[in-house]
Amino acid sequence: MNKLLIVGTVAFDAIETPFGKTDKILGGAATYIGLAASHFKVQSAIVSVVGDDFPQEYLDLLSSRNIDLTGVEKVSGGKTFFWSGRYHNDLNSRDTLDTQLNVLAEFNPVVPENFKDADVVMLGNLHPNTQISVLDQMTEKPKLVVLDTMNFWMDCALEELKEVMKRIDVITINDEEARQLSGEYSLVKAAEVIRQMGPRYVVIKKGEHGALLFDKHDVFFAPALPLKEVFDPTGAGDTFAGGFAGYLAQSSNISFKNMKNAIIYGSNLASFCVEKFGTKRMEEIAKVEVKDRLQQFKMLTQFDIELSE
Amino acid sequence: MNKLLIVGTVAFDAIETPFGKTDKILGGAATYIGLAASHFKVQSAIVSVVGDDFPQEYLDLLSSRNIDLTGVEKVSGGKTFFWSGRYHNDLNSRDTLDTQLNVLAEFNPVVPENFKDADVVMLGNLHPNTQISVLDQMTEKPKLVVLDTMNFWMDCALEELKEVMKRIDVITINDEEARQLSGEYSLVKAAEVIRQMGPRYVVIKKGEHGALLFDKHDVFFAPALPLKEVFDPTGAGDTFAGGFAGYLAQSSNISFKNMKNAIIYGSNLASFCVEKFGTKRMEEIAKVEVKDRLQQFKMLTQFDIELSE
């Protein structure tokens, strides 16, 4: 089985949407990535850090998905990273109410010995220096490195971000961030500028409007599944990235054609994520549900026009 | 050859985008619909009204596409409908600078005798009473009636709009308008509410984010083609509707499966429309270009995952 190394936050979130609010619940980029990737036949490990306020049951949940947590440091006397946000009525935008870095402020990632040869590395949203440190610890060059990042790092650590971008194969980034990073409004032009910063593949996430995959020559688009209810978008982007990386790690096929499938699987899993608060829906997805949604994605996008018409 | 009857404005537009501005140029919903539909093997006619300030060369342009203009009334001493707008930097929103109804204020549509049995009727954006009047003149029930409308009529003629909606098969409407008309934020729910107002099929246009087709059971999505440059979005929605209606009129096959193809053709033609000011790009599209873009749409959307995986 191929190995997938995931780096990112394992954290507490407190979320407010128009439909309700939560106290501190399980959150974090690596959590969502790990849960999504657990739908594929891969050996996964998370590199992260928590405080000793972090409930064992949350860690047990991840372990029960066969995710190796050797690389999750528990800082004694430390407090876990905490994020709190409130979504606007359209669920497309949100305000951050509180961010407490806590143990994340001093985080030095340590890659477990038996994941230093991981086939795929998924660098979840974190300080670019943390992401670089993980790549530096790899003893074998991974077949694929996927990077997720956000505007925060463009604002405060742009040079470091540019360094890590030189060492990755795929970047996943949202549309506004792609525009900010490239200085181009057109996403086609933005992807080209970003590609020239390092990654061969650029994935632009447009939330409810789907996702685009670019390489030098081709472009592929996957819509988000139209849903009757979107309850909480938290973690959808990470879930998408986890599905994408998990599928590619399982299949060991890094072609554009296979990346299309990975994008569809990412969108598929993200469509579940938004249906309940936090990780709730991700914890309960049955295999047959993923298969059913795959069929729905086919119905949604596939057509049959003869070009000779 | 099947007959397509198009009702809508033939007009003057003055457009400002971040890339430049035009004086009064050829515009109007029926103009764009007609130009798009002219890419299919159909007999088309436009029902509309202009003033005697309307240049013969514009009418000649439409005639040269084999569009019957018997139903375009020329009001002697009247002035042609004029719209002027300025697009914002993102091209996704615009301000209307001026609207002069002129001859449109007293418009009584007259359907040409030999189009009273048209197979497909495309009701372009106009007062719902005008749209109803056209349907009342049909001597044979059309195989398909497509309605395009906008928020303006929801604000000032909602009851009349609801009347015409009972007599159509397909409505094309943008996402914000679908939300306004239905009172639902989720487009899945909005489409269901709108379907219960009459049309069996609901097409929700999301501009650069593509278009959704709903019937009772199924949903299909076509993305907009990602373009390096979008120059002027004016007429893209009408072009989409014209490609949709033109394709269905040509093929005489009103199944959901074939409607998918119609949506793709609508998106295909709309991708040209935005590349130059006004109708300029629509006037010069070569057949091979449409075929090439169809191939691009396939590359953009088609994937091949085995469900047994």
Side-chain angles (χ1 to χ4, degrees), chain A residues 90 92 175 179 185-186 188-189 206 208-209 212 214 218-221 223 226-229 247 250 257 260-261 264-265 291 294-295 297-309, chain B residues 90 92 175 179 185-186 188-189 206 208-209 212 214 218-221 223 226-229 247 250 257 260-261 264-265 291 294-295 297-309:
Chain A
D90 63 5
N92 270 331
D175 45 357
R179 286 173 173 137
Y185 186 80
S186 152
V188 177
K189 287 185 180 176
K206 305 200 298 170
E208 64 160 332
H209 298 302
L212 286 155
F214 294 90
D218 291 315
V219 50
F220 177 68
F221 175 82
L227 296 169
K228 267 197 183 160
E229 311 271 5
Y247 178 82
Q250 172 185 279
K257 184 168 181 296
K260 291 183 177 189
N261 296 351
I264 293 290
Y265 267 104
K291 207 167 161 179
L294 194 51
Q295 185 58 36
F297 270 94
K298 284 196 172 191
M299 296 285 292
L300 181 65
T301 58
Q302 305 301 286
F303 60 89
D304 188 18
I305 299 179
E306 287 304 316
L307 281 175
S308 57
E309 266 179 63
Chain B
D90 64 4
N92 270 331
D175 44 0
R179 287 174 173 137
Y185 186 80
S186 152
V188 177
K189 287 186 179 174
K206 305 200 296 170
E208 63 161 332
H209 298 303
L212 286 157
F214 294 89
D218 292 313
V219 51
F220 177 68
F221 175 83
L227 296 169
K228 269 200 180 155
E229 312 269 8
Y247 179 82
Q250 172 185 280
K257 185 169 181 293
K260 290 183 177 189
N261 296 350
I264 293 290
Y265 267 106
K291 208 167 162 180
L294 193 50
Q295 185 58 34
F297 270 94
K298 284 195 171 190
M299 296 284 293
L300 181 65
T301 59
Q302 305 302 285
F303 59 89
D304 188 18
I305 299 179
E306 287 305 316
L307 281 176
S308 56
E309 269 180 65

Side-chain angles (χ1 to χ4, degrees), chain A residues 8 13 30 72 90 100 105 121 126 128 139 152-153 155 160 169 186 191 206-207 218 220 222 225 234 240 251 280:
Chain A
D13 285 346
V72 179
D90 63 5
Q100 298 172 15
V121 177
L126 272 178
T139 52
F152 182 75
W153 308 114
D155 295 334
E160 295 92 328
D169 302 291
S186 152
K206 305 200 298 170
D218 291 315
F220 177 68
L225 198 68
T234 307
F240 172 86
S251 62
K280 272 284 159 270

Side-chain angles (χ1 to χ4, degrees), chain A residues 27 40 43 52 63 73 91 104 108 149 229 297 299 307-308:
Chain A
F40 303 95
Q43 263 189 282
D52 54 12
S63 297
E73 187 189 350
L91 291 177
L104 206 61
N108 282 310
T149 190
E229 311 271 5
F297 270 94
M299 296 285 292
L307 281 175
S308 57

Side-chain angles (χ1 to χ4, degrees), chain B residues 43-156:
Chain B
Q43 262 187 282
S44 297
I46 290 178
V47 171
S48 193
V49 63
V50 294
D52 54 13
D53 57 346
F54 199 70
Q56 187 60 36
E57 60 171 296
Y58 288 167
L59 296 172
D60 291 346
L61 169 69
L62 294 171
S63 297
S64 76
R65 301 297 169 116
N66 291 316
I67 303 170
D68 184 317
L69 301 183
T70 318
V72 179
E73 187 190 351
K74 197 161 193 169
V75 178
S76 158
K79 288 180 71 180
T80 302
F81 174 61
F82 171 68
W83 174 83
S84 168
R86 182 189 294 136
Y87 287 88
H88 301 166
N89 276 337
D90 64 4
L91 293 176
N92 270 331
S93 52
R94 67 186 187 192
D95 298 320
T96 290
L97 302 177
D98 195 5
T99 306
Q100 298 172 14
L101 280 183
N102 295 333
V103 293
L104 207 61
E106 308 274 311
F107 176 41
N108 282 309
V110 178
V111 177
E113 208 52 51
N114 63 329
F115 276 86
K116 289 185 174 171
D117 61 352
D119 303 272
V120 174
V121 177
M122 174 72 232
L123 301 171
N125 176 38
L126 272 178
H127 194 295
N129 283 344
T130 307
Q131 298 173 320
I132 287 173
S133 161
V134 166
L135 292 183
D136 285 343
Q137 293 174 57
M138 303 304 287
T139 51
E140 293 202 27
K141 189 172 159 52
K143 289 197 194 95
L144 187 78
V145 180
V146 183
L147 172 92
D148 190 58
T149 190
M150 70 183 292
N151 51 359
F152 182 76
W153 308 116
M154 297 170 202
D155 295 333
C156 75

